[in-house]
Amino acid sequence: MTWSEMQPLLSQACWDTLYMVGWSTLIAVVVGLPLGVLLVLTDRGGLLQNAVVNKVIGQIVNIVRSMPFLILMVALMGFTRWIVGTTIGREAAIVPLAIGAIPFFARLVETSVREVDGGLVEAVQSMGGNTWTVVRKVLVPESLPSLISATTTTIIAIIGYSAMAGTVGAGGLGDLAIRYGYQRFEAELMWIIVAILAVVIALIQFAGDSGARVLHRRSGKGGEPLRFRAFVGLLGGVATAEATPAKTR
């Protein structure tokens, strides 16, 4: 196969992979972030301590995480067909990709949020901050560098999942590698796909590490601490609430 024949195939496969990974990552972050925070809040000693809710969510997360992606994809075929009307193509692949990535990301979020200083949470509570204030002003901002790293890890995992999804006709680079590189013995095309995936993953890892490093410096000696900004924001809200009644009097 010549390069002129490979180029349109590679272009379409790269776009399909980007499409699947992008939407799956977005869904995983939107659902996995609150799920991971909820696992921390409902745990023993958490702000919303609830053993039943924590155990149910934790078991569901563990069950989905323990399933190999190929098995999960096959098991979700009926659900995928109900959602998008088909089990083949990039739109169909987004469903199992997202469902497989949500518990993965949620556990990473849980680990990141648990690293936040408990004393800071107690200090915000002592100033009248409720659970939503603690989450918005402390837990998420303080764990942001770790959350960036968690998102990077999740994106790379989804890229691997998307390559496996190609074995059942999901499209993308994995599908191209199976149909042409393996079934038609196009070894050159196979190695080009491997090189593309290696470069893409390296770039994503570099971008994620750089972003996390910048945020970490800003939260440490290199800039204004995130916790300081959290206190300033909270104190500003308290001061405004106290000043408003005074003006009315």
Side-chain angles (χ1 to χ4, degrees), residues 150-236:
T151 304
T152 303
T153 303
T154 302
I155 293 173
I156 293 174
I158 292 176
I159 291 175
Y161 291 163
S162 70
M164 286 188 285
T167 61
V168 292
L173 291 170
D175 177 61
L176 186 62
I178 292 296
R179 288 192 296 114
Y180 285 87
Y182 177 72
Q183 294 177 351
R184 301 188 185 184
F185 303 102
E186 296 286 350
E188 185 180 354
L189 179 61
M190 175 76 79
W191 286 112
I192 291 175
I193 293 172
V194 171
I196 291 174
L197 289 173
V199 170
V200 169
I201 289 174
L203 291 175
I204 292 172
Q205 188 67 61
F206 175 77
D209 291 344
S210 299
R213 197 176 301 116
V214 169
L215 289 173
H216 185 71
R217 283 202 300 266
R218 288 182 179 178
S219 65
K221 294 182 180 179
E224 186 182 58
L226 288 174
R227 63 184 62 192
F228 177 77
R229 294 201 298 273
F231 273 120
V232 168
L234 184 60
L235 288 173

Side-chain angles (χ1 to χ4, degrees), residues 27-177:
I27 296 171
V29 171
V30 170
V31 179
L33 179 60
L35 192 62
V37 173
L38 188 61
L39 283 169
V40 176
L41 295 178
T42 57
D43 199 7
R44 182 180 302 176
L47 300 179
L48 300 175
Q49 180 175 331
N50 190 316
V52 175
V53 172
N54 185 268
K55 193 164 186 177
V56 169
I57 296 176
Q59 287 299 322
I60 294 174
V61 168
N62 290 338
I63 290 172
V64 178
R65 282 188 64 199
S66 66
M67 295 182 66
F69 180 71
L70 283 176
I71 296 176
L72 178 66
M73 190 164 47
V74 173
L76 290 174
M77 279 187 173
F79 180 71
T80 301
R81 185 180 291 107
W82 179 68
I83 293 291
V84 298
T86 182
T87 58
I88 299 175
R90 62 185 190 180
E91 284 78 14
I94 292 173
V95 177
L97 284 173
I99 292 177
I102 287 170
F104 180 83
F105 183 68
R107 284 300 186 191
L108 294 178
V109 171
E110 181 187 11
T111 302
S112 300
V113 172
R114 287 191 189 280
E115 295 175 354
V116 176
D117 186 4
L120 183 59
V121 174
E122 294 176 0
V124 173
Q125 284 184 296
S126 68
M127 291 189 296
N130 56 22
T131 301
W132 171 243
T133 302
V134 171
V135 172
R136 187 168 57 92
K137 295 286 189 178
V138 179
L139 295 182
V140 173
E142 284 291 309
S143 61
L144 197 55
S146 295
L147 292 177
I148 295 296
S149 298
T151 304
T152 303
T153 303
T154 302
I155 293 173
I156 293 174
I158 292 176
I159 291 175
Y161 291 163
S162 70
M164 286 188 285
T167 61
V168 292
L173 291 170
D175 177 61
L176 186 62

Side-chain angles (χ1 to χ4, degrees), residues 8-30:
L9 295 174
L10 288 170
S11 299
Q12 184 61 46
C14 287
W15 168 247
D16 288 344
T17 297
L18 179 64
Y19 182 88
M20 291 187 292
V21 172
W23 278 107
S24 301
T25 301
L26 178 62
I27 296 171
V29 171
V30 170

